[in-house]
């Protein structure tokens, strides 16, 4: 009995193109870069709130917190509370540490992000978009980016995206 083996050349994979290499790189690093950049935005908007008069949305923030807390928190205390929240969220996103807790805090903060639309709609849009309204529009992008980050982190993959 004779047995003949047929020679089959090894399958070749097509060479990676620049676009496929970039897609691979983006898949590996995109969510991490998004997480860090959103964290930096939270820090950039949160840190000035510690300093009276440094945030252009100070009046809107204090009015919103006062309305949402039914008057229990107002003035500088409202600004400090929001500054602490935004700084905490920013640090968790930048470092990847306590990321789930930071995303949970962001989920709760979403109420405050968008409450001015309901509470002060007339003040935000009268005669065109005010600076405060533009801040709220920016928050739509932040929330959407947070959903992308959360889709990975909350599935137990936080460690792989925290680097």
């Amino acid at each position: 009995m004779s047995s003949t083996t047929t020679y089959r050349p090894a399958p070749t994979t097509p060479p990676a193109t620049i676009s496929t290499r970039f897609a691979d790189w983006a898949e590996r690093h995109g969510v991490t870069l998004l997480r860090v950049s959103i964290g930096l935005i939270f820090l950039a908007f949160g840190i000035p709130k510690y300093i009276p008069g440094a945030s252009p949305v100070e009046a809107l923030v204090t009015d919103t917190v006062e309305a949402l807390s039914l008057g229990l928190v107002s003035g500088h205390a409202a600004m400090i509370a929001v500054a602490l929240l935004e700084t905490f969220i920013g640090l968790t996103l930048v470092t990847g540490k306590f990321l789930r807790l930071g995303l949970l805090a962001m989920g709760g903060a979403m109420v405050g992000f968008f409450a001015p639309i309901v509470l002060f709609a007339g003040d935000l849009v009268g005669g065109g978009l005010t600076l405060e309204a533009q801040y709220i529009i920016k928050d739509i992008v932040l929330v959407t980016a947070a959903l992308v980050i959360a889709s990975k982190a909350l599935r137990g993959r936080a460690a792989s995206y925290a680097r």
Side-chain angles (χ1 to χ4, degrees), residues 14-29:
T17 63
I18 290 173
S19 63
T20 58
R21 280 190 274 168
F22 176 74
D24 291 343
W25 181 88
E27 187 175 350
R28 283 189 314 277
H29 302 290

Side-chain angles (χ1 to χ4, degrees), residues 81-100:
V82 172
L84 286 168
L85 179 63
E86 289 182 359
T87 302
F88 173 74
I89 292 168
L91 288 172
T92 64
L93 290 168
V94 168
T95 65
K97 297 194 186 293
F98 305 107
L99 184 56
R100 290 174 183 229

